[in-house]
Amino acid sequence: MKQGAKKIEPKKPVQEPARELVANRETLKRIFIMRESDSSRATLVKYMEQILFGLHEFLMHHVGITEERSLVELSRRFMDSAINPEPEKRLAEVIAELIDEIAPYAVNVSSPYFVGHMTSAIPFFMVHLSTFVAALNQNVVKIETSKVVSMVEKQVLAKIHRMIYKRSQKFYNRHIQSAYTSLGGFVEGGTQANLTALWVARNRLLAPKSGFAGVEQSGMAQAYNAYGISRCIVLVSQLGHYSLRKSGGVLGIGSDNVISVPTDADNRIDMACLKKIIACLEKDEPAARIMAIVGIAGTTETGTVDPLNELADLCHEKAIHFHVDAAWGGPALFSEKYADLLSGIERADSVTIDGHKQFYMPMSCGMVYFKEPKAMDAIAYHAAYVNRPGSVDLGIRSLAGSRAANSLILHGALKIMGKRGYALLIDHGIETAAAFAELISERPDFQLMTRPELNILTYRYCPAQLQKRLSTATPAERMRANQFLNRANTLLQRHQREAGKSFVSRTTLRRPESEGGPAVVLRSVIMNPMTHPGILNEILDEQESLCKTRLKSAFAVDLSSS
Ligand SMILES: *Cc1c(COP(=O)(O)O)cnc(C)c1O
């Protein structure tokens, strides 16, 4: 074990009479029936303690990210594919094994030094609320397996809808518990939210009409035929999430028809380019139909927000479905200081928000919202034994069938945190990212590549001398130097990750050839409230030291060599 990492001894469970490890009716009964005696209750509590504190202590003492161990070696431990005929272990042993053998080699995403991805520490109460969801085990596909929980879900959906769309009190009174309308839905994550939004957009565009039963029923070939359409197109900036292309594939429009629009110098969709693309389509391919335009509120790679109002104007003028992918940025609406960054989101026909991102919920939870309460009728399904017309069954308008009551977690979290609690998290992320950008700018050997708008930024290591020479280099020299830098920064990210003390991620930004072509950059996402500028400075120190020692030759770029 690495220095500083304390091995956590699993707490000894309360002594129970030793029982044989066998599967029979007696043992089955014991695991399905709540323990009756005081001592057996105490045992169950101890097990929970082990998870809550055994694991927590491990994470606390183990400030690093993960134990250094190769993936090949780890995979060798999991080669046995036979299921034991008889029980192998007791719960206490399984928990101890998970803490000892699995947790150290998993990734400590709670560490304030883990600033590379959109996954981070979650508030402690989330574990309790998750346990409650598992214990109650409701299935919100239908009222008959969830009853009041479906109503809680509708209430939570209305609360977030209201945060986005700010409709009237009367509007929410009418729709909050209506069996005939849906303000949105809980889904698996941002991917499924985007898919659901585009599914609705597709079915509304290729709706039933006289002589045609609609695309959902009759399929794409007949739909294109009925409407005289050559293809359907989705337009999104080149920083769009790849789930949109997946949706293009699943929905049958083809992932190639999810078209990337270039971005401007601030990483926002280039409106002039977008308008030009639309004009060209109208002129050269009048049978092509734009199914949706997507604005991004917080791109995955740079955290930037598209000009939502301008996009809304354009979509309104052309009668095109306007979807906003706010999987990441949505909760910025909680912040009094920064909600304006998302101005225009209230004009979207549909909005994606991820629960497991900036709502700090445990994996996995996403949501999709619709401005119009009837929009989701376009994807409604009924079955004889559930989801009957006119019932409140949430499964009627949902891609998923059986589904966990994750809304209960958000229901609790909103009460515990309040708007202000979430706003504090958002403000901290945005302001710490701005401070990080300053720290990077102050170091001559680093280059800030994208300035943070929300709480994501990108940068790279590029020795000061090289930066200076690049400013007067020829385009060819710039291209060559950039290739070196790309390789060297790739190595830098890998070395730091493998050392296991801290973590930033890496991505490749598209850039014109005049600037040296695609750039490999280090990407940092600041969402852990325990991450502060001191920690970020340490991360830069570690990177700088790696570059000046182990990676010295990788960064020795000679511009003149051919
Ligand atoms: C994370 C993300 C998604 C995908 O969400 P998942 O929960 O990973 O499926 C989509 N869009 C954006 C902008 C995201 O940041």
PDB file of all heavy atoms in Angstrom, residues 29-55:
ATOM      1  N   LYS A  29     -35.295 -17.993   4.298  1.00  0.00           N
ATOM      2  CA  LYS A  29     -36.222 -17.288   5.171  1.00  0.00           C
ATOM      3  C   LYS A  29     -35.485 -16.210   5.952  1.00  0.00           C
ATOM      4  O   LYS A  29     -35.969 -15.095   6.115  1.00  0.00           O
ATOM      5  CB  LYS A  29     -36.849 -18.285   6.151  1.00  0.00           C
ATOM      6  CG  LYS A  29     -38.359 -18.300   6.076  1.00  0.00           C
ATOM      7  CD  LYS A  29     -38.920 -19.554   6.664  1.00  0.00           C
ATOM      8  CE  LYS A  29     -39.519 -19.365   8.036  1.00  0.00           C
ATOM      9  NZ  LYS A  29     -40.002 -20.678   8.562  1.00  0.00           N
ATOM     10  N   ARG A  30     -34.277 -16.568   6.401  1.00  0.00           N
ATOM     11  CA  ARG A  30     -33.513 -15.606   7.215  1.00  0.00           C
ATOM     12  C   ARG A  30     -33.141 -14.354   6.429  1.00  0.00           C
ATOM     13  O   ARG A  30     -33.082 -13.272   6.988  1.00  0.00           O
ATOM     14  CB  ARG A  30     -32.253 -16.265   7.778  1.00  0.00           C
ATOM     15  CG  ARG A  30     -32.484 -17.000   9.076  1.00  0.00           C
ATOM     16  CD  ARG A  30     -31.216 -17.052   9.914  1.00  0.00           C
ATOM     17  NE  ARG A  30     -30.081 -17.594   9.201  1.00  0.00           N
ATOM     18  CZ  ARG A  30     -29.834 -18.903   9.076  1.00  0.00           C
ATOM     19  NH1 ARG A  30     -30.634 -19.793   9.615  1.00  0.00           N
ATOM     20  NH2 ARG A  30     -28.791 -19.316   8.399  1.00  0.00           N
ATOM     21  N   ILE A  31     -32.883 -14.520   5.116  1.00  0.00           N
ATOM     22  CA  ILE A  31     -32.479 -13.304   4.394  1.00  0.00           C
ATOM     23  C   ILE A  31     -33.665 -12.492   3.881  1.00  0.00           C
ATOM     24  O   ILE A  31     -33.505 -11.356   3.471  1.00  0.00           O
ATOM     25  CB  ILE A  31     -31.488 -13.598   3.232  1.00  0.00           C
ATOM     26  CG1 ILE A  31     -32.054 -14.617   2.257  1.00  0.00           C
ATOM     27  CG2 ILE A  31     -30.128 -14.028   3.765  1.00  0.00           C
ATOM     28  CD1 ILE A  31     -31.165 -14.822   1.043  1.00  0.00           C
ATOM     29  N   PHE A  32     -34.851 -13.089   3.890  1.00  0.00           N
ATOM     30  CA  PHE A  32     -36.020 -12.328   3.426  1.00  0.00           C
ATOM     31  C   PHE A  32     -36.826 -11.705   4.554  1.00  0.00           C
ATOM     32  O   PHE A  32     -37.585 -10.779   4.348  1.00  0.00           O
ATOM     33  CB  PHE A  32     -36.939 -13.214   2.568  1.00  0.00           C
ATOM     34  CG  PHE A  32     -36.564 -13.178   1.121  1.00  0.00           C
ATOM     35  CD1 PHE A  32     -35.620 -14.055   0.591  1.00  0.00           C
ATOM     36  CD2 PHE A  32     -37.126 -12.233   0.262  1.00  0.00           C
ATOM     37  CE1 PHE A  32     -35.259 -14.007  -0.738  1.00  0.00           C
ATOM     38  CE2 PHE A  32     -36.760 -12.177  -1.080  1.00  0.00           C
ATOM     39  CZ  PHE A  32     -35.823 -13.071  -1.575  1.00  0.00           C
ATOM     40  N   ILE A  33     -36.646 -12.220   5.753  1.00  0.00           N
ATOM     41  CA  ILE A  33     -37.446 -11.713   6.872  1.00  0.00           C
ATOM     42  C   ILE A  33     -36.578 -10.810   7.738  1.00  0.00           C
ATOM     43  O   ILE A  33     -35.433 -11.123   8.030  1.00  0.00           O
ATOM     44  CB  ILE A  33     -38.025 -12.884   7.699  1.00  0.00           C
ATOM     45  CG1 ILE A  33     -38.998 -13.674   6.818  1.00  0.00           C
ATOM     46  CG2 ILE A  33     -38.742 -12.364   8.946  1.00  0.00           C
ATOM     47  CD1 ILE A  33     -39.460 -14.961   7.437  1.00  0.00           C
ATOM     48  N   MET A  34     -37.146  -9.677   8.101  1.00  0.00           N
ATOM     49  CA  MET A  34     -36.431  -8.754   8.970  1.00  0.00           C
ATOM     50  C   MET A  34     -36.053  -9.467  10.265  1.00  0.00           C
ATOM     51  O   MET A  34     -36.859 -10.207  10.828  1.00  0.00           O
ATOM     52  CB  MET A  34     -37.376  -7.583   9.267  1.00  0.00           C
ATOM     53  CG  MET A  34     -36.747  -6.256   9.507  1.00  0.00           C
ATOM     54  SD  MET A  34     -35.221  -5.945   8.638  1.00  0.00           S
ATOM     55  CE  MET A  34     -35.260  -4.197   8.555  1.00  0.00           C
ATOM     56  N   ARG A  35     -34.805  -9.222  10.748  1.00  0.00           N
ATOM     57  CA  ARG A  35     -34.347  -9.912  11.955  1.00  0.00           C
ATOM     58  C   ARG A  35     -35.260  -9.609  13.138  1.00  0.00           C
ATOM     59  O   ARG A  35     -35.675  -8.463  13.336  1.00  0.00           O
ATOM     60  CB  ARG A  35     -32.932  -9.464  12.307  1.00  0.00           C
ATOM     61  CG  ARG A  35     -31.944  -9.614  11.177  1.00  0.00           C
ATOM     62  CD  ARG A  35     -31.783 -11.080  10.807  1.00  0.00           C
ATOM     63  NE  ARG A  35     -30.971 -11.191   9.605  1.00  0.00           N
ATOM     64  CZ  ARG A  35     -29.685 -11.567   9.620  1.00  0.00           C
ATOM     65  NH1 ARG A  35     -29.078 -11.835  10.737  1.00  0.00           N
ATOM     66  NH2 ARG A  35     -29.030 -11.669   8.476  1.00  0.00           N
ATOM     67  N   GLU A  36     -35.504 -10.629  13.907  1.00  0.00           N
ATOM     68  CA  GLU A  36     -36.458 -10.475  15.001  1.00  0.00           C
ATOM     69  C   GLU A  36     -35.802 -10.059  16.318  1.00  0.00           C
ATOM     70  O   GLU A  36     -36.276  -9.160  16.994  1.00  0.00           O
ATOM     71  CB  GLU A  36     -37.309 -11.747  15.176  1.00  0.00           C
ATOM     72  CG  GLU A  36     -36.567 -13.088  15.363  1.00  0.00           C
ATOM     73  CD  GLU A  36     -35.678 -13.489  14.184  1.00  0.00           C
ATOM     74  OE1 GLU A  36     -36.026 -13.213  13.029  1.00  0.00           O
ATOM     75  OE2 GLU A  36     -34.621 -14.074  14.457  1.00  0.00           O
ATOM     76  N   SER A  37     -34.638 -10.642  16.657  1.00  0.00           N
ATOM     77  CA  SER A  37     -34.060 -10.365  17.978  1.00  0.00           C
ATOM     78  C   SER A  37     -33.226  -9.093  17.972  1.00  0.00           C
ATOM     79  O   SER A  37     -32.820  -8.603  16.915  1.00  0.00           O
ATOM     80  CB  SER A  37     -33.178 -11.529  18.406  1.00  0.00           C
ATOM     81  OG  SER A  37     -31.998 -11.514  17.636  1.00  0.00           O
ATOM     82  N   ASP A  38     -32.969  -8.564  19.160  1.00  0.00           N
ATOM     83  CA  ASP A  38     -32.162  -7.349  19.284  1.00  0.00           C
ATOM     84  C   ASP A  38     -30.767  -7.554  18.724  1.00  0.00           C
ATOM     85  O   ASP A  38     -30.221  -6.676  18.073  1.00  0.00           O
ATOM     86  CB  ASP A  38     -32.041  -6.943  20.757  1.00  0.00           C
ATOM     87  CG  ASP A  38     -33.304  -6.210  21.197  1.00  0.00           C
ATOM     88  OD1 ASP A  38     -34.153  -5.948  20.308  1.00  0.00           O
ATOM     89  OD2 ASP A  38     -33.439  -5.919  22.393  1.00  0.00           O
ATOM     90  N   SER A  39     -30.202  -8.739  19.001  1.00  0.00           N
ATOM     91  CA  SER A  39     -28.824  -8.951  18.570  1.00  0.00           C
ATOM     92  C   SER A  39     -28.738  -9.023  17.049  1.00  0.00           C
ATOM     93  O   SER A  39     -27.808  -8.516  16.435  1.00  0.00           O
ATOM     94  CB  SER A  39     -28.237 -10.212  19.218  1.00  0.00           C
ATOM     95  OG  SER A  39     -28.475 -11.341  18.403  1.00  0.00           O
ATOM     96  N   SER A  40     -29.763  -9.605  16.410  1.00  0.00           N
ATOM     97  CA  SER A  40     -29.683  -9.678  14.950  1.00  0.00           C
ATOM     98  C   SER A  40     -29.927  -8.314  14.315  1.00  0.00           C
ATOM     99  O   SER A  40     -29.369  -7.988  13.282  1.00  0.00           O
ATOM    100  CB  SER A  40     -30.630 -10.743  14.403  1.00  0.00           C
ATOM    101  OG  SER A  40     -31.917 -10.577  14.923  1.00  0.00           O
ATOM    102  N   ARG A  41     -30.741  -7.496  14.974  1.00  0.00           N
ATOM    103  CA  ARG A  41     -30.911  -6.109  14.484  1.00  0.00           C
ATOM    104  C   ARG A  41     -29.580  -5.373  14.571  1.00  0.00           C
ATOM    105  O   ARG A  41     -29.193  -4.672  13.629  1.00  0.00           O
ATOM    106  CB  ARG A  41     -31.931  -5.361  15.342  1.00  0.00           C
ATOM    107  CG  ARG A  41     -33.355  -5.751  15.053  1.00  0.00           C
ATOM    108  CD  ARG A  41     -34.258  -5.083  16.070  1.00  0.00           C
ATOM    109  NE  ARG A  41     -34.464  -3.688  15.717  1.00  0.00           N
ATOM    110  CZ  ARG A  41     -35.627  -3.226  15.285  1.00  0.00           C
ATOM    111  NH1 ARG A  41     -36.653  -4.031  15.167  1.00  0.00           N
ATOM    112  NH2 ARG A  41     -35.758  -1.961  14.978  1.00  0.00           N
ATOM    113  N   ALA A  42     -28.923  -5.555  15.698  1.00  0.00           N
ATOM    114  CA  ALA A  42     -27.638  -4.882  15.883  1.00  0.00           C
ATOM    115  C   ALA A  42     -26.652  -5.305  14.798  1.00  0.00           C
ATOM    116  O   ALA A  42     -25.860  -4.491  14.313  1.00  0.00           O
ATOM    117  CB  ALA A  42     -27.080  -5.206  17.262  1.00  0.00           C
ATOM    118  N   THR A  43     -26.749  -6.568  14.395  1.00  0.00           N
ATOM    119  CA  THR A  43     -25.848  -7.043  13.338  1.00  0.00           C
ATOM    120  C   THR A  43     -26.079  -6.277  12.038  1.00  0.00           C
ATOM    121  O   THR A  43     -25.143  -5.805  11.392  1.00  0.00           O
ATOM    122  CB  THR A  43     -26.084  -8.546  13.080  1.00  0.00           C
ATOM    123  OG1 THR A  43     -26.064  -9.212  14.322  1.00  0.00           O
ATOM    124  CG2 THR A  43     -25.020  -9.103  12.165  1.00  0.00           C
ATOM    125  N   LEU A  44     -27.365  -6.134  11.697  1.00  0.00           N
ATOM    126  CA  LEU A  44     -27.683  -5.414  10.454  1.00  0.00           C
ATOM    127  C   LEU A  44     -27.173  -3.974  10.502  1.00  0.00           C
ATOM    128  O   LEU A  44     -26.624  -3.456   9.531  1.00  0.00           O
ATOM    129  CB  LEU A  44     -29.187  -5.410  10.218  1.00  0.00           C
ATOM    130  CG  LEU A  44     -29.776  -6.671   9.605  1.00  0.00           C
ATOM    131  CD1 LEU A  44     -31.256  -6.477   9.328  1.00  0.00           C
ATOM    132  CD2 LEU A  44     -29.052  -7.028   8.316  1.00  0.00           C
ATOM    133  N   VAL A  45     -27.346  -3.336  11.642  1.00  0.00           N
ATOM    134  CA  VAL A  45     -26.890  -1.957  11.798  1.00  0.00           C
ATOM    135  C   VAL A  45     -25.370  -1.895  11.632  1.00  0.00           C
ATOM    136  O   VAL A  45     -24.834  -1.011  10.965  1.00  0.00           O
ATOM    137  CB  VAL A  45     -27.329  -1.381  13.159  1.00  0.00           C
ATOM    138  CG1 VAL A  45     -26.695  -0.024  13.400  1.00  0.00           C
ATOM    139  CG2 VAL A  45     -28.846  -1.283  13.215  1.00  0.00           C
ATOM    140  N   LYS A  46     -24.701  -2.877  12.234  1.00  0.00           N
ATOM    141  CA  LYS A  46     -23.234  -2.926  12.116  1.00  0.00           C
ATOM    142  C   LYS A  46     -22.804  -2.996  10.652  1.00  0.00           C
ATOM    143  O   LYS A  46     -21.851  -2.353  10.237  1.00  0.00           O
ATOM    144  CB  LYS A  46     -22.692  -4.168  12.846  1.00  0.00           C
ATOM    145  CG  LYS A  46     -22.489  -3.945  14.315  1.00  0.00           C
ATOM    146  CD  LYS A  46     -21.181  -3.194  14.568  1.00  0.00           C
ATOM    147  CE  LYS A  46     -21.094  -2.778  16.023  1.00  0.00           C
ATOM    148  NZ  LYS A  46     -20.586  -1.421  16.189  1.00  0.00           N
ATOM    149  N   TYR A  47     -23.537  -3.812   9.889  1.00  0.00           N
ATOM    150  CA  TYR A  47     -23.169  -3.950   8.474  1.00  0.00           C
ATOM    151  C   TYR A  47     -23.299  -2.605   7.764  1.00  0.00           C
ATOM    152  O   TYR A  47     -22.467  -2.233   6.943  1.00  0.00           O
ATOM    153  CB  TYR A  47     -24.057  -4.984   7.775  1.00  0.00           C
ATOM    154  CG  TYR A  47     -23.899  -6.403   8.268  1.00  0.00           C
ATOM    155  CD1 TYR A  47     -24.919  -7.328   8.099  1.00  0.00           C
ATOM    156  CD2 TYR A  47     -22.718  -6.825   8.883  1.00  0.00           C
ATOM    157  CE1 TYR A  47     -24.785  -8.630   8.545  1.00  0.00           C
ATOM    158  CE2 TYR A  47     -22.589  -8.122   9.333  1.00  0.00           C
ATOM    159  CZ  TYR A  47     -23.623  -9.025   9.170  1.00  0.00           C
ATOM    160  OH  TYR A  47     -23.490 -10.305   9.605  1.00  0.00           O
ATOM    161  N   MET A  48     -24.377  -1.895   8.068  1.00  0.00           N
ATOM    162  CA  MET A  48     -24.559  -0.578   7.443  1.00  0.00           C
ATOM    163  C   MET A  48     -23.420   0.340   7.864  1.00  0.00           C
ATOM    164  O   MET A  48     -22.904   1.115   7.061  1.00  0.00           O
ATOM    165  CB  MET A  48     -25.889   0.056   7.876  1.00  0.00           C
ATOM    166  CG  MET A  48     -27.098  -0.295   7.044  1.00  0.00           C
ATOM    167  SD  MET A  48     -26.824  -0.432   5.287  1.00  0.00           S
ATOM    168  CE  MET A  48     -27.243   1.186   4.725  1.00  0.00           C
ATOM    169  N   GLU A  49     -23.040   0.242   9.128  1.00  0.00           N
ATOM    170  CA  GLU A  49     -21.962   1.072   9.645  1.00  0.00           C
ATOM    171  C   GLU A  49     -20.678   0.806   8.868  1.00  0.00           C
ATOM    172  O   GLU A  49     -19.918   1.708   8.565  1.00  0.00           O
ATOM    173  CB  GLU A  49     -21.747   0.734  11.110  1.00  0.00           C
ATOM    174  CG  GLU A  49     -21.799   1.926  12.012  1.00  0.00           C
ATOM    175  CD  GLU A  49     -21.582   1.507  13.444  1.00  0.00           C
ATOM    176  OE1 GLU A  49     -20.426   1.245  13.822  1.00  0.00           O
ATOM    177  OE2 GLU A  49     -22.585   1.417  14.157  1.00  0.00           O
ATOM    178  N   GLN A  50     -20.475  -0.474   8.627  1.00  0.00           N
ATOM    179  CA  GLN A  50     -19.269  -0.867   7.909  1.00  0.00           C
ATOM    180  C   GLN A  50     -19.217  -0.189   6.532  1.00  0.00           C
ATOM    181  O   GLN A  50     -18.177   0.268   6.092  1.00  0.00           O
ATOM    182  CB  GLN A  50     -19.305  -2.374   7.708  1.00  0.00           C
ATOM    183  CG  GLN A  50     -18.029  -3.067   8.087  1.00  0.00           C
ATOM    184  CD  GLN A  50     -18.227  -4.564   7.993  1.00  0.00           C
ATOM    185  OE1 GLN A  50     -19.206  -5.103   8.514  1.00  0.00           O
ATOM    186  NE2 GLN A  50     -17.342  -5.214   7.315  1.00  0.00           N
ATOM    187  N   ILE A  51     -20.382  -0.152   5.873  1.00  0.00           N
ATOM    188  CA  ILE A  51     -20.412   0.473   4.547  1.00  0.00           C
ATOM    189  C   ILE A  51     -20.204   1.975   4.679  1.00  0.00           C
ATOM    190  O   ILE A  51     -19.368   2.575   4.002  1.00  0.00           O
ATOM    191  CB  ILE A  51     -21.751   0.189   3.837  1.00  0.00           C
ATOM    192  CG1 ILE A  51     -21.888  -1.303   3.579  1.00  0.00           C
ATOM    193  CG2 ILE A  51     -21.841   0.966   2.538  1.00  0.00           C
ATOM    194  CD1 ILE A  51     -23.209  -1.705   2.992  1.00  0.00           C
ATOM    195  N   LEU A  52     -20.969   2.566   5.609  1.00  0.00           N
ATOM    196  CA  LEU A  52     -20.927   4.020   5.715  1.00  0.00           C
ATOM    197  C   LEU A  52     -19.587   4.516   6.231  1.00  0.00           C
ATOM    198  O   LEU A  52     -19.022   5.455   5.693  1.00  0.00           O
ATOM    199  CB  LEU A  52     -22.047   4.513   6.631  1.00  0.00           C
ATOM    200  CG  LEU A  52     -23.414   4.556   5.967  1.00  0.00           C
ATOM    201  CD1 LEU A  52     -24.488   4.853   6.994  1.00  0.00           C
ATOM    202  CD2 LEU A  52     -23.454   5.611   4.873  1.00  0.00           C
ATOM    203  N   PHE A  53     -19.079   3.880   7.300  1.00  0.00           N
ATOM    204  CA  PHE A  53     -17.864   4.415   7.910  1.00  0.00           C
ATOM    205  C   PHE A  53     -16.609   3.690   7.461  1.00  0.00           C
ATOM    206  O   PHE A  53     -15.588   4.316   7.239  1.00  0.00           O
ATOM    207  CB  PHE A  53     -17.998   4.433   9.428  1.00  0.00           C
ATOM    208  CG  PHE A  53     -19.109   5.340   9.863  1.00  0.00           C
ATOM    209  CD1 PHE A  53     -20.273   4.821  10.388  1.00  0.00           C
ATOM    210  CD2 PHE A  53     -19.009   6.710   9.669  1.00  0.00           C
ATOM    211  CE1 PHE A  53     -21.315   5.661  10.746  1.00  0.00           C
ATOM    212  CE2 PHE A  53     -20.042   7.547  10.026  1.00  0.00           C
ATOM    213  CZ  PHE A  53     -21.204   7.021  10.565  1.00  0.00           C
ATOM    214  N   GLY A  54     -16.700   2.360   7.304  1.00  0.00           N
ATOM    215  CA  GLY A  54     -15.534   1.627   6.815  1.00  0.00           C
ATOM    216  C   GLY A  54     -15.092   2.216   5.484  1.00  0.00           C
ATOM    217  O   GLY A  54     -13.941   2.582   5.281  1.00  0.00           O
ATOM    218  N   LEU A  55     -16.059   2.393   4.596  1.00  0.00           N
ATOM    219  CA  LEU A  55     -15.743   2.935   3.276  1.00  0.00           C
ATOM    220  C   LEU A  55     -15.346   4.402   3.379  1.00  0.00           C
ATOM    221  O   LEU A  55     -14.381   4.854   2.757  1.00  0.00           O
ATOM    222  CB  LEU A  55     -16.962   2.775   2.368  1.00  0.00           C
ATOM    223  CG  LEU A  55     -16.763   3.130   0.906  1.00  0.00           C
ATOM    224  CD1 LEU A  55     -15.676   2.272   0.283  1.00  0.00           C
ATOM    225  CD2 LEU A  55     -18.051   2.947   0.128  1.00  0.00           C
TER     226      LEU A  55
END
